[in-house]
Amino acid sequence: MTLNRRTFLGASAVAAATLAAPMVRAQGKPRVVVIGGGAGGATAARYIAKDSKGDVDVTLIEPTRTYYTCFFSNLYLGGIKDIDDLGHSYGGLAAGGVNVVHDWAVGVDRDAKTVTLAGGGSLPYDKLILSPGIDFVDGAVSGWDLSAQNAMPHAYKGGSQTELLKAQLKAMPEGGTFAMVAPPNPYRCPPGPYERVSMVAHYLKANNPTAKIIVADPKPKFSKMALFQEGWNNHYAGMVDWIGEDFGGGEVSVDPATMTVTIDGEETKVDVCNVIPAMKAGRIAEIAGVTDGNWAPVNAADMSSKADPDIYVLGDASQQGDMPKSGFSANSQAKVCANAVRGALTGSKVFPAKFSNTCWSLIDANDGVKVGATYEATDEKIAKVDGFISQTGETSDVRKATYEESEGWYAGITADMFGASV
Amino acid sequence: MRSVFKYLAVASLLGLPIAGHADTGDAEAGEKVFQQCKGCHQVGAGAKHRSGPHLNGLFGRKAASLDDFRYSKSFQRAGAGGLEWHADTLDVFLENPRAMASGTRMSFRGIKNADDRANLIVYLRTFSDDPANIPEADPTAQALDHDLDPAILALKGDPEYGEYLSGECTTCHQAAGGDDGIPSITLWPEDQFVVAMHAYKTKQRNHPVMQMIAGRLGDDEIAALAAYFKDLEN
Ligand SMILES: Cc1cc2nc3c(=O)[nH]c(=O)nc-3n(C[C@H](O)[C@H](O)[C@H](O)COP(=O)(O)OP(=O)(O)OC[C@H]3O[C@@H](n4cnc5c(N)ncnc54)[C@H](O)[C@@H]3O)c2cc1C
C-alpha cells in the first residue's frame, strides 16, 4: 500500500493529468467515493446522489450494516432510549442511488486515485470524501490502551461499546463507584461526557441511589458547565464528584487489572471505569496522508483537504476551525461539501458555504438544554458568527420543550443522513 | 351523514357540554387550549389556511375535503375512506394525531388531557353551524397580521438556491414533512413562510435556534427558501 505524501504530488502531477482530467471524463460518469457512513459520510453520499440525479456515481464504504448513533446513546444509558432506537440501516441510501459497500477502506493511493478495501480490490475515484470519525491517541491515559476497552470501555463509538458500558452500569454493586476519565480538548461532542454523567446519575438515582460518580477531568471547565452543575445539584445532590484540572483531574492513571483509578496520587477502587481518551482523526485519514498532527486540516469554503484538492474531510476527523465536533456539524459540513463536489464534477451551481450547529443535552428526564451557533467560511477557517445557550434557572416547561425539540432533531438528522425510512 | 343525535350522544358520553348553549366556560377554556393550534390553524371571522386548513365549519365535514388546501396523502386517504369530523373523531385525533393519520403534516404531539380536548372541541364547535344555528364565519379574506415591507414579500425566490439553503433546515425539519417534536415546514404557503422567517429575524417570534438561523439569512435567501419549501412534497 503506497503512502502518498504531499512531496510526491509535484512529480506525479503531469502523469495524473493525462490519466484523469476532472470535469470532462473520456468515458463513464464522474466517481465519488465516500469513506465512513456516519453523520458526515452518509449525508454527503445521499446528497450527491440525490442532487446529481444519477449523473455522479457515488460509492459509500462502511464496514457496519447498522449504524448506531452516538447521539442519544447517553439516553440509552439513562434508560430513556432503547438500543434499537439508535440503530439505522443503509437501505434508504441504497434506494437513493448510493452504492453501499460494507467493507473497511485500508489504503488510499492518491496518485492512482484509488481506495483499497480490506476485502481485496480497489475503487477508483475522481473525488474522495473521508468522514471516518475518531480514533484514540495512543498512551493518552496512563495504564489504558485499546486492549483494555472491555474492562474499561470508552463507549465513545456507537454500538457494542455503549451496550457494554450499560451492562457494567447495571451490574454495579449497591453503593458502588462509577468513574469517568474525561478527555482533553478537542474531542467529539463537547457536552457528551457531561450528558453521560447526568444520564448515569439518572439511572443510579432510580436503581442504586447510594452509588457515587467520580469524574477526573484534565480541563478546568467544560461545555455548558453552569447548566450541568446546576442540574447535578438539583437532581442528583451529593452523587457527582467532578475533579477538574485545578484539583489534579488531569493527573490520572488507571489499572484495568485491579479496577483502580489513581487521581493526583490518590488511588480508588471503582466498579465501572469509563475511560474517554484523547482523540484524533480516524486512522484512514492518516493513512491517506491528509493529517497534520492529530487532525486533517481543510479549507472552510468546501471542506477540501489542505493536502490534496481531490480529497475532502468531514466531521470529527477534520480540523476546520470553530465548529464543535458533533453530528450536527458533520451533517452541516457534508451538505456544503456535497454542493461543492457536485459542482466540480458536473458544473452545477456552487453556492456559498453556510454552517450551523446545535447540541442538545439531557440532564434529567424532560430537563433538556441546548447550545448552538452559526458559522461562515473565511480564508483561514470556519468562523463562528452568532450563538446562543440555554440559561440556568429556566422553567421546567422550557426544559421539557427543549427536550422534545431534541427528539425532533434526532428524527430530522437521521432522516437527513439515511433518507426517510419507508 | 351523522345526525345531531349522534353528536349529542357522543357529547354526553364524553361529558361535553353542547356548544353554543349554556356552558360558555368550557368554550373559553377551549380557546386557551387553541393557543397551541394557532401557529398553524385559524378559526373564526376571516380565517384562512395557514400551514393547516382553517377550521370554520369543521363539524360534519369530511376529512381532507376543502378544495383549496393541500392535504397530506394520509389525510386524503382517510377522507376517501369516510373519516368525518365530529366530537368523537376529533377527540381521538387530538389525543394522538399520528395514530389516526400517520403521515399527517400536523406537527403536534397531541393533547393528552381529556378535559383540554373536550374544551377545545367545544370551542371549535362554535365555529360550525350545524346542529346549533351558528352562522358561518365571515369568509372575507384578511391580510396576514404583520408589518413586513411589501417589497420583501414581493421578492421572487430562486428555488434552486432554496434547495441548497434548505440543507440547513433539514437537519431538524424533515424534508418528507414528518414531525416528531420539531414542526413540519413543507408545503408552507410562500408568504407565510416569509413572514414567519422575518419575524424570527427581528425577534418578534422567539425561538433561539430559529432567531439565530433566520438572523443571518438575507431577504433573497428567505424568499428562496420559501419558494423551495412551498412545493416540497415527499
Ligand atoms: C456519547 C456521545 C454523545 C453524542 N451526542 C451528540 C449529540 O447529541 N448531538 C450531536 O450532534 N453529536 C453528538 N455526538 C457526536 C457525534 O456522534 C459525532 O460528532 C458524529 O458522529 C461525527 O460524524 P463523523 O461522520 O465524523 O463520524 P461517525 O459518525 O463516527 O462516522 C464514522 C464512520 O466511519 C466508519 N469508518 C471509520 N473508518 C473507516 C474505514 N477505514 N473504512 C470504512 N469506514 C470507516 C465508521 O464505521 C463510522 O460508521 C455524540 C457523541 C458521543 C460519543
Side-chain angles (χ1 to χ4, degrees):
Chain A
M1 180 193 325
T2 4
L3 246 168
N4 290 283
R5 302 240 173 256
R6 212 189 302 214
T7 44
F8 292 168
L9 233 92
S12 62
V14 181
T18 59
L19 286 176
M23 300 275 223
V24 256
R25 292 183 48 79
Q27 46 172 325
K29 295 182 207 168
R31 288 166 304 203
V32 171
V33 171
V34 182
I35 300 180
T43 309
R46 191 171 92 83
Y47 269 73
I48 296 171
K50 169 171 85 67
D51 294 341
S52 70
K53 302 185 171 66
D55 288 347
V56 177
D57 192 67
V58 184
T59 302
L60 174 68
I61 309 171
E62 163 62 49
T64 65
R65 279 167 199 275
T66 304
Y67 176 85
Y68 286 94
T69 59
C70 284
F71 22 110
F72 274 22
S73 66
N74 290 327
L75 278 62
Y76 158 70
L77 294 177
I80 291 169
K81 293 281 160 197
D82 239 41
I83 192 76
D84 292 340
D85 298 337
L86 309 180
H88 303 270
S89 83
Y90 291 91
L93 284 183
V98 176
N99 226 327
V100 183
V101 175
H102 289 296
D103 204 345
W104 287 96
V106 290
V108 175
D109 184 330
R110 278 163 47 191
D111 295 332
K113 295 178 100 175
T114 57
V115 174
T116 323
L117 301 178
S122 70
L123 290 169
Y125 67 82
D126 295 301
K127 296 282 187 189
L128 173 63
I129 299 174
L130 302 178
S131 194
I134 52 122
D135 271 308
F136 301 108
V137 174
D138 289 338
V141 174
S142 160
W144 192 92
D145 63 21
L146 269 187
S147 70
Q149 69 173 354
N150 288 339
M152 295 187 168
H154 52 77
Y156 234 64
K157 296 186 183 190
S160 56
Q161 274 279 308
T162 319
E163 287 185 281
L164 177 62
L165 186 63
K166 175 75 186 254
Q168 294 182 352
L169 175 64
K170 278 177 141 170
M172 267 173 72
E174 202 183 315
T177 302
F178 180 105
M180 172 190 282
V181 178
N185 290 320
Y187 60 96
R188 137 179 299 187
C189 194
Y194 312 99
E195 182 187 57
R196 176 169 296 171
V197 167
S198 309
M199 287 292 98
V200 166
H202 174 77
Y203 175 86
L204 292 174
K205 185 178 173 180
N207 297 285
N208 191 349
T210 53
K212 293 268 176 285
I213 302 171
I214 323 175
V215 186
D217 203 324
K219 306 181 291 296
K221 57 185 176 40
F222 56 84
S223 169
K224 307 185 209 176
M225 182 158 166
L227 294 166
F228 280 115
Q229 291 191 328
E230 175 194 55
W232 295 344
N233 269 332
N234 288 348
H235 303 297
Y236 317 116
M239 189 181 264
V240 182
D241 185 9
W242 179 77
I243 304 169
E245 187 203 27
D246 307 351
F247 297 92
E251 304 299 314
V252 180
S253 64
V254 297
D255 185 349
T258 56
M259 285 304 286
T260 51
V261 181
T262 306
I263 305 170
D264 203 19
E266 194 178 319
E267 187 181 276
T268 312
K269 173 114 181 67
V270 301
D271 299 291
V272 179
C273 188
N274 175 208
V275 176
I276 311 174
M279 294 167 208
K280 61 179 185 179
R283 231 180 93 63
I284 193 72
E286 202 178 316
I287 291 171
V290 296
T291 50
D292 179 4
N294 286 337
W295 310 101
V298 294
N299 297 301
D302 59 359
M303 303 302 292
S304 62
S305 160
K306 294 213 170 171
D308 186 331
D310 291 323
I311 298 185
Y312 299 74
V313 187
L314 304 178
D316 294 353
S318 68
Q319 180 183 308
Q320 32 69 22
D322 296 349
M323 294 184 85
K325 297 185 187 299
S326 73
F328 199 125
S329 296
N331 170 269
S332 168
Q333 293 158 7
K335 286 178 270 198
V336 168
C337 171
N339 183 249
V341 165
R342 185 166 62 96
L345 294 173
T346 69
S348 66
K349 215 155 152 186
V350 177
F351 296 105
K354 262 197 164 83
F355 305 95
S356 51
N357 176 60
T358 298
C359 283
W360 285 265
S361 302
L362 192 60
I363 297 177
D364 194 359
N366 290 318
D367 188 0
V369 292
K370 61 187 169 188
V371 59
T374 51
Y375 304 85
E376 66 186 5
T378 66
D379 286 346
E380 302 118 76
K381 62 169 185 176
I382 297 182
K384 181 171 167 180
V385 178
D386 186 18
F388 70 87
I389 183 163
S390 294
Q391 301 301 306
T392 51
E394 284 170 341
T395 64
S396 56
D397 285 354
V398 169
R399 292 297 178 85
K400 180 159 187 275
T402 302
Y403 167 63
E404 285 172 359
E405 200 175 274
S406 74
E407 294 248 15
W409 163 78
Y410 186 90
I413 191 172
T414 50
D416 205 36
M417 288 163 64
F418 298 108
S421 53
V422 244
Chain B
M1 266 294 150
R2 310 262 202 108
S3 67
V4 178
F5 294 111
K6 173 85 182 184
Y7 173 70
L8 290 172
V10 172
S12 56
L13 203 82
L14 293 170
L16 293 184
I18 304 306
H21 291 251
D23 208 333
T24 50
D26 284 337
E28 251 170 53
E31 186 173 3
K32 291 215 183 72
V33 179
F34 187 69
Q35 295 298 327
Q36 303 174 55
C37 320
K38 270 173 112 170
C40 302
H41 291 283
Q42 294 188 345
V43 71
K48 292 210 319 173
H49 299 318
R50 293 180 64 93
S51 358
H54 75 69
L55 300 175
N56 292 340
L58 180 64
F59 280 70
R61 189 156 95 195
K62 202 168 89 173
S65 61
L66 296 177
D67 289 341
D68 52 348
F69 184 80
R70 291 169 76 176
Y71 292 94
S72 64
K73 295 206 181 74
S74 254
F75 259 126
Q76 289 173 19
R77 274 194 302 273
L83 175 65
E84 271 183 20
W85 292 125
H86 297 278
D88 55 350
T89 50
L90 279 170
D91 187 59
V92 173
F93 177 64
L94 289 169
E95 182 173 5
N96 184 354
R98 289 245 150 157
M100 190 183 252
S102 57
T104 179
R105 293 200 315 279
M106 182 154 120
S107 24
F108 188 58
R109 312 195 123 204
I111 301 171
K112 301 297 166 241
N113 182 309
D115 290 340
D116 285 350
R117 286 198 304 278
N119 291 338
L120 176 61
I121 290 167
V122 168
Y123 171 70
L124 290 175
R125 183 68 195 75
T126 62
F127 300 98
S128 291
D129 62 354
D130 175 47
N133 190 22
I134 301 161
E136 273 275 19
D138 178 1
T140 320
Q142 222 182 39
L144 289 165
D145 45 349
H146 65 82
D147 49 10
L148 201 58
D149 181 350
I152 291 181
L153 218 45
L155 283 175
K156 269 265 143 287
D158 168 8
E160 192 191 349
Y161 188 28
E163 178 170 17
Y164 167 70
L165 291 170
S166 76
E168 199 166 18
C169 315
T170 53
T171 305
C172 300
H173 298 276
Q174 297 171 41
D179 141 73
D180 300 85
I182 287 190
S184 164
I185 54 172
T186 59
L187 297 177
W188 198 355
E190 221 170 345
D191 54 340
Q192 293 168 16
F193 190 106
V194 171
V195 167
M197 289 300 278
H198 281 278
Y200 283 123
K201 201 174 153 91
T202 53
K203 304 203 187 316
Q204 286 168 301
R205 274 194 181 210
N206 58 33
H207 186 280
V209 181
M210 287 311 304
Q211 287 179 352
M212 179 183 82
I213 296 288
R216 66 161 174 172
L217 289 173
D219 298 347
D220 284 339
E221 291 173 324
I222 290 178
L225 283 165
Y228 173 67
F229 277 111
K230 82 174 194 312
D231 291 322
L232 187 62
E233 220 152 348
N234 46 331

